[in-house]
Amino acid sequence: MSGRTDSDTDPEIADSEATAEQDDAEDLLEDARRARWTAVGTGAALTLAGLAAALLRLTRSAPALVPAAYASGAAVCALAAVLGSRGRTRRALWLLIAGAMVMALGDQFD
């Protein structure tokens, strides 16, 4: 046999594997960036909605607990937006849920 026993892997295969790993890493970075922007946008929207609802309920004859619930829910959503911008998207999601639930609880008191 005249074949060499110390042959390396084909460089084309190694290059394609490296390119595939790089594409996967870029996809993960894009997904993380999209999750951060989603958390920030949703947190900001819920914060503005909660503050607007608190101001509207404050001008009407509603118990003081109602605007306080909306304002505290908005504060929790604002905290979620800050955490989301820093990459803590899982915690931000749970805080968004908690903030929306506090605002919904305030609506039940009305």
Side-chain angles (χ1 to χ4, degrees):
M1 301 213 141
S2 62
R4 293 179 46 179
T5 58
D6 61 344
S7 63
D8 290 332
T9 59
D10 193 13
E12 292 176 6
I13 294 173
D15 289 341
S16 66
E17 288 175 0
T19 304
E21 289 177 7
Q22 187 178 12
D23 288 343
D24 289 342
E26 288 175 3
D27 289 342
L28 286 175
L29 287 175
E30 182 65 30
D31 289 345
R33 187 177 301 120
R34 188 176 305 123
R36 283 194 303 270
W37 279 106
T38 302
V40 169
T42 306
L46 284 174
T47 300
L48 291 175
L51 289 176
L55 288 174
L56 285 174
R57 302 293 184 183
L58 198 62
T59 59
R60 296 182 183 166
S61 62
L65 188 60
V66 175
Y70 278 113
S72 61
V76 171
C77 289
L79 177 64
V82 170
L83 285 178
S85 71
R86 294 183 180 176
R88 305 287 186 199
T89 54
R90 191 172 298 152
R91 291 180 184 150
L93 172 66
W94 284 109
L95 283 176
L96 288 172
I97 292 169
M101 287 177 65
V102 169
M103 287 189 266
L105 184 66
D107 194 37
Q108 292 298 317
F109 290 136
D110 192 17

